[in-house]
Amino acid sequence: MRLFGTDLVLLHPPSVYDFRRRRTEYGPISDVVFASPAYEMYPVGLTSIASHLENHGHNARIVNVAHRMVSDPGYDAEAAIAALSPAMFGIDLHWLPHAHGALELARIAKRHHPKTPIVLGGLSASYFHDELIRSPLVDFVVRGDSTEGPVLELLRAVLFGGPLEAIPNLTWKRQDGSPVVNPLTCVPRRLDAESVPDIFYVVRSVFKYASLEDVVPFTGWLDYPITALLTSRGCSMECAVCGGARSSYRAICNRAEPAFRSPAALAREIRRIGRFGRGPIFLIHDLRQAGSEYARELLDLLGRRPPKNEILLELFSPVEDDYLDRVGAALPRFSLQITLESHLERVRRLNHRFECAPEAIERTLAKALAAGAGRVDLFFMVGLPGQSYADAVGCVDYCRSLLERFRGDRRLAFFVAPLGPFLDPGSAAYEEAERYGYRRRFRTLEEHRQALLAPSWKDMLSYETAWMSRDEIVSASYESLRRLTRLKAEWGYLDDAAAGRALARLDESEAAVAAIGRAEAIPDGPEREEAVELARHGVAPGFQRGELVWPLRKGRGFAPVSSLAWVALGLAARELRLFATRRLPLYLGAAGQARAKAGAAAARRGGRLGVAGGLGAGRAGHREN
Ligand code: B12
Ligand code: SF4
């Protein structure tokens, strides 16, 4: 361990490593998130892992390789990884669409640092841990939704030695390659030990590791610094197509109940963020999940000193009581995210989401608008259980009826996207595919990884349903997007020029998918390869992205300089304190141990000095807590 060295580097991969040279037709698969199809947003938990390690005296750094590759065409990811020299690499495989990028980064790290262990983690890594650990590219998988503690234990075992058997949530392999799955017992019942994300770790690390670009969560964030705060780990709902549902967390993370962040901690964090950022703050998961008392307490706390930032809240079910009035009273600026998925009650019931009559939804919208919501976003999805082509594109007629009912209230915003590219592993639709009417095309991680290399999103789609073939899912997605774009133009949400550009790109993208399909029908051989290459188009994605953003107050993303200076001073003081009270003692302890080991070895070898390094040697040594 070196005093100023980095102990852990956490790499965030792009979805597909070499996406920059592939011209893949991604269509609308990342259309309702801020990231591009490279999925350059890293999991919020990387910041809490890094922060936890730093609080215990380690140097832990995040490198968002995906963002660097998206934002700078000249960025050489391999050279950047080769130049790093941590004691351990961590790579997230939280979202399954990173299956290719995550393993490619592992390959690069192994090529340049063959002795440095590599740990993977995240929901998908947890699900596929058994397959991953058999890969020569992966040394460890830390499973579960709360890995801060286990990663610290693992890092210390790597640095100082110690029994791997004792580390909770760890999947590892013995010298002979045989996998060992330790019990998944680190499942905290509350979410108060960590800030997720730990925004202040991010700000500190910008100065400490002298790189802003490495920790930017997604391309464009500096102009639009939105933050998201987890209100819980795990979810209480059972949406059939979600790999983060209650039963999915039970199976993947051994979590029976969500762990909630206390209202006091959330309110504190919202205020702290407000001291430096003016962007919206998205509170992930419906506050009412933890009960109406929880939501009331948080709103009371916020209402005492109302935040300046726009607060984005989710609704998992209709609101029949005065919840939204209380939200409106406490928060001067708030917006709502409602993921209905379908306008049809029948489909919603099959998906176990908003299992209510249409009137309940309309009452909720009316209450939201009356309570002063700045915007109410409604999301629809293509590819649901029980959903035919007509059902899917029919969501646009429903949007029209809402515009008529609410007299074109501009605060209503509509979005539609396909369920894709993959069915979430661990979701009911994936695990009980037949029952939910899904035909799964891929089962293993390797099959999903291979699918990501396909030239179009239609080929990547991991499923079809009893109601729609893949062709129909693709065409229903484009058609509903086209109809929605026209509706928005008709009601003045989009000007004609913007709508025209979006429609042209939709047509171009759909035509490219069809052309790739025709080329793929040619029998295998060079002619087919050439035709597929020619058909590849790579139409710029983001058909609705511009409408996802909430306007910044006074157009400003960050707080005034005086406020930022205070934040910076506070963080610098914290960094110095951590160095003196945590890093130095840890380093001096490690140096002492190394000297003792060297002395003993020298004595044994009759005077020849030799301190063995690396994981194997470390394991034999003493483990620090
Ligand atoms: C919030 C959220 C988002 C946010 C992202 C927030 C963020 N930056 O993390 C937004 C809205 C942007 C988003 C986008 C997407 N999401 Co999402 N999202 C969620 C949601 C609702 C909550 C996630 C959560 O609670 N995380 C908290 C915990 C679990 O993770 P964490 O704290 O970040 O990390 C901990 C562990 O995962 C682990 N870990 C993570 N990384 C690593 C790395 C290492 C080395 C180690 C050791 C450990 C480790 O340790 C961390 C700390 O303890 C879940 C549903 C759910 N209830 O889980 C879906 C979910 C995770 N998302 C999902 C999907 C599919 C996506 C998209 C791909 C959708 C799409 N097609 O566009 C995109 C990907 C965007 C990107 N990467 O650029 C699926 C994932 C299924 C799967 N296994 O692949 C889920 C399960 C459900 C869903 N369909 O929405 N999502
Ligand atoms: S989709 Fe449903 S189950 Fe998944 S996180 Fe959202 S509310 Fe929970």
Side-chain angles (χ1 to χ4, degrees):
M1 182 176 148
R2 288 156 300 142
L3 184 57
F4 296 106
T6 310
D7 302 329
L8 177 70
V9 168
L10 292 162
L11 302 172
H12 176 60
S15 168
V16 173
Y17 174 64
D18 43 359
F19 68 94
R20 289 186 296 196
R21 60 172 190 83
R22 285 186 167 268
R23 286 183 296 121
T24 302
E25 197 52 55
Y26 285 110
I29 58 169
S30 69
D31 219 38
V32 289
V33 293
F34 281 105
S36 73
Y39 289 125
E40 71 269 23
M41 190 181 284
Y42 56 78
V44 282
L46 290 196
T47 63
S48 52
I49 296 174
S51 167
H52 187 77
L53 298 186
E54 297 243 331
N55 290 342
H56 286 80
H58 293 285
N59 290 335
R61 174 177 176 190
I62 294 173
V63 178
N64 188 346
V65 177
H67 161 69
R68 300 294 305 259
M69 290 177 82
V70 170
S71 60
D72 175 3
Y75 178 76
D76 183 343
E78 175 142 11
I81 293 172
L84 297 164
S85 58
M88 181 162 82
F89 279 106
I91 302 174
D92 60 90
L93 178 51
H94 186 52
W95 295 283
L96 191 51
H98 289 100
H100 184 271
L103 288 168
E104 282 314 295
L105 291 198
R107 196 183 309 283
I108 292 170
K110 274 275 176 254
R111 186 153 57 231
H112 294 279
H113 310 281
K115 293 216 170 96
T116 308
I118 296 179
V119 55
L120 264 68
L123 283 179
S124 300
S126 303
Y127 187 91
F128 289 108
H129 68 109
D130 195 34
E131 192 175 335
L132 279 170
I133 204 66
R134 289 167 206 278
S135 160
L137 302 174
V138 178
D139 298 290
F140 306 110
V141 180
V142 178
R143 310 182 321 274
D145 60 23
S146 306
T147 65
E148 293 81 1
V151 172
L152 175 63
E153 288 194 44
L154 175 64
L155 179 64
R156 292 198 166 176
V158 165
L159 286 167
F160 313 124
L164 295 172
E165 288 86 348
I167 301 175
N169 305 18
L170 183 69
T171 299
W172 53 288
K173 49 192 162 200
R174 298 189 193 280
Q175 296 277 331
D176 65 3
S178 55
V180 186
V181 181
N182 293 354
L184 207 168
T185 47
C186 180
V187 189
R189 295 167 70 104
R190 298 190 63 80
L191 179 56
D192 274 342
E194 317 294 339
S195 291
V196 202
D198 193 324
I199 308 291
F200 291 88
Y201 160 80
V202 175
V203 181
R204 257 189 316 129
S205 80
V206 169
F207 298 104
K208 182 168 175 178
Y209 300 107
S211 175
L212 173 63
E213 289 293 322
D214 280 338
V215 287
V216 166
F218 61 89
T219 313
W221 184 83
L222 289 172
D223 297 324
Y224 189 69
I226 183 172
T227 39
L229 285 179
L230 265 194
T231 62
S232 67
R233 274 188 171 143
C235 179
S236 55
M237 306 292 284
E238 283 291 8
C239 305
V241 295
C242 179
R246 180 194 283 261
S247 48
S248 322
Y249 267 81
R250 194 177 300 121
I252 304 172
C253 304
N254 196 20
R255 173 174 297 293
E257 298 291 333
F260 295 105
R261 188 141 188 220
S262 71
L266 266 178
R268 214 170 28 243
E269 197 66 6
I270 291 170
R271 286 216 178 87
R272 285 176 80 205
I273 293 173
R275 294 217 312 262
F276 83 92
R278 290 285 186 260
I281 303 175
F282 176 22
L283 301 186
I284 298 169
H285 294 136
D286 191 330
L287 296 180
R288 298 171 301 159
Q289 264 199 117
S292 53
E293 229 0 85
Y294 174 98
R296 187 185 299 272
E297 197 181 329
L298 177 62
L299 291 172
D300 284 351
L301 287 169
L302 292 176
R304 280 180 213 160
R305 249 191 306 145
K308 290 197 174 73
N309 308 61
E310 172 123 25
I311 305 293
L312 314 181
L313 300 170
E314 283 193 87
L315 293 184
F316 288 173
S317 56
V319 179
E320 300 287 9
D321 59 9
D322 63 349
Y323 173 61
L324 290 171
D325 296 330
R326 283 185 282 117
V327 169
L331 305 173
R333 303 177 73 214
F334 77 97
S335 286
L336 294 173
Q337 301 262 296
I338 305 181
T339 307
L340 274 186
E341 315 279 38
S342 172
H343 61 293
L344 296 168
E345 186 180 344
R346 165 180 57 81
V347 177
R348 290 200 303 270
R349 286 198 185 278
L350 285 173
N351 190 32
H352 312 308
R353 194 179 174 96
F354 276 90
E355 296 179 86
C356 62
E359 296 76 25
I361 294 167
E362 290 189 24
R363 279 197 297 274
T364 303
L365 295 179
K367 276 175 189 285
L369 297 173
R375 225 174 71 189
V376 181
D377 292 351
L378 282 132
F379 293 87
F380 298 92
M381 194 176 260
V382 179
L384 296 168
Q387 187 190 48
S388 67
Y389 180 96
D391 295 341
V393 298
C395 73
V396 182
D397 296 331
Y398 175 71
C399 297
R400 178 186 298 280
S401 74
L402 289 180
L403 285 174
E404 284 162 1
R405 154 96 166 75
F406 292 101
R407 301 204 177 94
D409 194 317
R410 293 289 289 273
R411 293 174 296 162
L412 289 175
F414 307 111
F415 302 89
V416 62
L419 196 180
F422 300 148
L423 207 52
D424 288 3
S427 64
Y430 184 99
E431 304 299 330
E432 302 169 70
E434 222 165 276
R435 178 169 160 215
Y436 285 91
Y438 282 86
R439 280 191 296 276
R440 285 169 42 182
R441 299 177 63 221
F442 319 125
R443 274 159 210 281
T444 62
L445 180 66
E446 178 54 20
E447 283 169 341
H448 287 91
R449 192 187 76 84
Q450 286 291 344
L452 288 162
L453 298 175
S456 89
W457 70 281
K458 183 187 126 184
D459 297 326
M460 284 177 208
L461 269 187
S462 66
Y463 68 94
E464 32 192 29
T465 71
W467 304 270
M468 274 195 274
S469 65
R470 266 185 305 137
D471 277 318
E472 285 169 312
I473 293 168
V474 167
S475 116
S477 303
Y478 283 113
E479 183 54 21
S480 43
L481 264 164
R482 259 193 297 263
R483 291 187 190 189
L484 192 57
T485 307
R486 286 194 207 107
L487 181 75
K488 287 175 182 172
E490 199 183 306
W491 285 78
Y493 281 68
L494 281 179
D495 62 45
D496 287 346
R501 281 193 301 273
L503 288 169
R505 281 197 304 124
L506 283 166
D507 289 347
E508 199 186 338
S509 176
E510 187 170 18
V513 173
I516 289 167
R518 282 193 300 277
E520 284 173 333
I522 299 173
D524 271 351
E527 200 190 323
R528 176 184 193 270
E529 267 171 42
E530 199 183 321
V532 171
E533 238 3 79
L534 268 174
R536 279 173 181 265
H537 222 71
V539 174
F543 304 104
Q544 309 160 90
R545 184 85 40 78
E547 297 151 58
L548 271 179
V549 298
W550 293 261
L552 294 171
R553 198 160 147 253
K554 296 185 191 154
R556 245 195 353 227
F558 293 94
V561 176
S562 54
S563 179
L564 291 178
W566 274 112
V567 172
L569 268 178
L571 293 176
R574 183 175 167 75
E575 189 57 44
L576 285 175
R577 203 169 57 243
L578 280 177
F579 183 79
T581 61
R582 297 294 183 132
R583 180 78 185 166
L584 264 181
L586 193 66
Y587 174 78
L588 294 174
Q593 278 174 37
R595 268 198 306 277
K597 266 194 213 167
R604 276 200 307 274
R605 290 177 205 158
R608 256 180 50 233
L609 190 73
V611 186
L615 185 60
R619 265 187 206 149
H622 170 75
R623 174 166 162 233
E624 267 203 13
N625 287 307

